[in-house]
């Protein structure tokens, strides 16, 4: 009979493409992992792993079966989580994924309440770009995501948490800097500083800006909101920032944060999870806690 552990070994080899690193990830010796993979190949009558001098990769048969192996591993994890939830739905580990344009600005507002109201939950926080987080959620490596909602995420279940407005950031020397509020039409023909490809905020901000007749500034693409902030304060251009990223960032003689009038550009922050996820009592408690923590913040 094929063992769950053997499927974990196959999964690790596909991820690490190296017997030594795969063995370390599985907390076993390299000979143990290699030997078990050979036994699995003998049991199936298939060669799953192509062994080369400097690298290891899966054969076509291995590529097909590792996908099935991951389905089995996800089912086993779900079974174990369901059993634990029957004992105590508000205990155990919870892996949460967030994006860099949200995590550092949201977490200070919600983690204290989450730890106090759900003291037996061990929260593990993972920060990455949207595409990678969605893949990890789909593969069962993460329990839930807190992300700005995009239409292509509709394969996952969703709980809306709050709407976050975007604001205009300008230097004190910019022609728009003296305004108390702005509307999107006032961005016509201006060039907007943006994040690099892979950040969902980039696409959302550009969508609003293009509709308003603004253009992307192609001279520079930032890797973080903090880089954008410094570029704006140096009068290198203007940009749209999420409001949470401007809280406790007092407007100074180098940068101004200007709110938009209606229709305000914003992003819907939602909690996402796989359909059929087993620990729904815990999820509902997290949703309630986050909503409560964010009341009055923005």
């Amino acid at each position: 009979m094929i063992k769950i552990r053997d499927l974990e070994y196959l999964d690790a080899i596909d991820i690490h493409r190296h017997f030594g690193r795969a063995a370390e990830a599985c907390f076993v010796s390299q000979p143990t992992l290699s030997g078990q993979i050979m036994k699995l190949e003998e049991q199936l009558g298939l060669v799953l792993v192509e062994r080369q001098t400097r690298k290891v990769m899966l054969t076509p048969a291995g590529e097909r079966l590792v996908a099935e192996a991951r389905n089995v591993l996800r089912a086993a994890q779900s079974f174990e989580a369901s059993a634990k939830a029957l004992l105590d739905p508000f205990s155990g580990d919870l892996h949460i994924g967030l994006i860099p344009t949200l995590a550092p600005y949201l977490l200070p507002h919600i983690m204290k309440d989450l730890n106090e109201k759900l003291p037996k939950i061990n929260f593990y926080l993972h920060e990455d770009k949207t595409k990678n987080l969605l893949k990890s959620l789909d593969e069962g490596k993460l329990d839930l995501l807190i992300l700005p909602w995009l239409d292509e995420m509709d394969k996952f279940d969703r709980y809306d948490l709050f709407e976050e407005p975007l604001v205009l950031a300008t230097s004190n020397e910019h022609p728009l800097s003296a305004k108390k509020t702005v509307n999107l039409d006032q961005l016509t023909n201006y060039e907007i500083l943006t994040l690099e490809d892979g950040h969902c905020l980039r696409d959302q901000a550009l969508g609003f800006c293009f509709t308003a007749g603004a253009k992307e500034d192609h001279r520079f693409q930032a890797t973080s909101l903090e880089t954008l902030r410094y570029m704006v304060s140096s009068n290198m251009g203007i940009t749209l920032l999420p409001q949470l990223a401007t809280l406790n960032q007092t407007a100074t003689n180098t940068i101004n944060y200007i709110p938009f009038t209606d229709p305000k550009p914003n992003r819907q922050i939602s909690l996402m999870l796989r359909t059929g996820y087993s620990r729904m009592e815990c999820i509902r408690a997290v949703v309630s806690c986050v909503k409560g923590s964010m009341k009055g913040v923005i």
Side-chain angles (χ1 to χ4, degrees):
M1 181 179 293
I2 295 173
K3 299 178 181 179
I4 293 290
R5 194 61 171 155
D6 294 339
L7 302 184
E8 292 175 341
Y9 294 157
L10 185 64
D11 177 47
I13 288 173
D14 184 46
I15 292 172
H16 298 282
R17 303 298 172 109
H18 188 278
F19 274 110
R21 290 192 290 271
E24 288 178 7
C26 295
F27 302 102
V28 296
S29 68
Q30 181 173 331
T32 296
L33 183 141
S34 180
Q36 286 302 118
I37 290 295
M38 291 180 66
K39 288 181 181 178
L40 179 62
E41 289 177 320
E42 291 174 3
Q43 186 175 356
L44 297 174
L46 294 168
V47 177
L48 304 176
V49 179
E50 183 178 317
R51 300 161 175 85
Q52 299 181 12
T53 303
R54 295 188 176 182
K55 65 178 180 179
V56 175
M57 57 190 300
L58 296 186
T59 64
E63 292 283 359
R64 291 190 62 178
L65 289 179
V66 76
E68 296 293 332
R70 285 174 179 146
N71 289 335
V72 173
L73 292 174
R74 281 197 293 270
Q77 290 166 358
S78 178
F79 179 86
E80 184 177 4
S82 296
K84 289 180 178 178
L86 290 173
L87 293 172
D88 185 349
F90 305 111
S91 66
D93 299 339
L94 200 67
H95 292 262
I96 304 175
L98 305 99
I99 55 174
T101 62
L102 180 64
Y105 314 108
L106 174 65
L107 292 175
H109 295 286
I110 67 173
M111 288 312 302
K112 183 175 183 293
D113 287 343
L114 283 171
N115 284 321
E116 288 180 353
K117 294 180 179 180
L118 297 168
K120 291 191 285 184
I121 296 288
N122 300 313
F123 292 100
Y124 292 86
L125 307 174
H126 306 262
E127 185 179 274
D128 207 336
K129 290 184 178 180
T130 302
K131 180 181 178 181
N132 298 333
L133 291 176
L134 292 172
K135 183 174 184 291
S136 293
L137 179 65
D138 193 40
E139 292 176 350
K141 297 175 182 177
L142 297 176
D143 295 292
L144 63 95
L145 307 180
I146 299 179
L147 293 178
W149 172 260
L150 300 173
D151 289 342
E152 56 264 34
M153 299 173 181
D154 60 2
K155 68 177 288 187
F156 300 105
D157 287 347
R158 159 190 174 188
Y159 289 84
D160 290 337
L161 300 175
F162 59 92
E163 287 189 358
E164 182 183 20
L166 304 181
V167 302
L168 181 67
T170 76
S171 74
N172 196 46
E173 301 172 40
H174 194 272
L176 294 174
S177 64
K179 294 186 175 296
K180 298 296 183 183
T181 60
V182 292
N183 60 60
L184 283 170
D185 290 341
Q186 289 175 285
L187 301 185
T188 302
N189 295 326
Y190 279 113
E191 291 190 336
I192 307 295
L193 292 169
T194 63
L195 293 167
E196 65 180 358
D197 287 338
H199 292 276
C200 61
L201 178 61
R202 164 190 167 82
D203 298 329
Q204 291 172 320
L206 284 177
F208 292 119
C209 293
F210 289 162
T211 300
K215 304 172 184 177
E216 180 181 4
D217 190 334
H218 293 283
R219 295 173 300 167
F220 180 81
Q221 290 185 349
T223 58
S224 70
L225 291 188
E226 297 312 305
T227 303
L228 275 183
R229 201 191 309 272
Y230 289 124
M231 295 294 289
V232 170
S233 67
S234 301
N235 200 34
M236 296 295 292
I238 61 176
T239 194
L240 271 63
L241 292 179
Q243 186 173 321
L244 280 176
T246 69
L247 300 182
N248 302 319
Q249 294 282 338
T250 306
T252 67
N253 59 352
T254 60
I255 191 166
N256 294 283
Y257 303 115
I258 309 171
F260 284 92
T261 57
D262 291 331
K264 297 177 181 178
N266 61 57
R267 57 181 188 172
Q268 174 64 58
I269 306 302
S270 301
L271 182 150
M272 280 165 279
L273 64 155
R274 294 179 300 280
T275 298
Y277 183 74
S278 59
R279 302 171 64 187
M280 291 310 300
E281 286 183 84
C282 181
I283 292 297
R284 285 189 284 269
V286 170
V287 169
S288 176
C289 186
V290 172
K291 284 184 174 182
S293 298
M294 295 307 294
K295 282 183 178 178
V297 174
I298 56 174

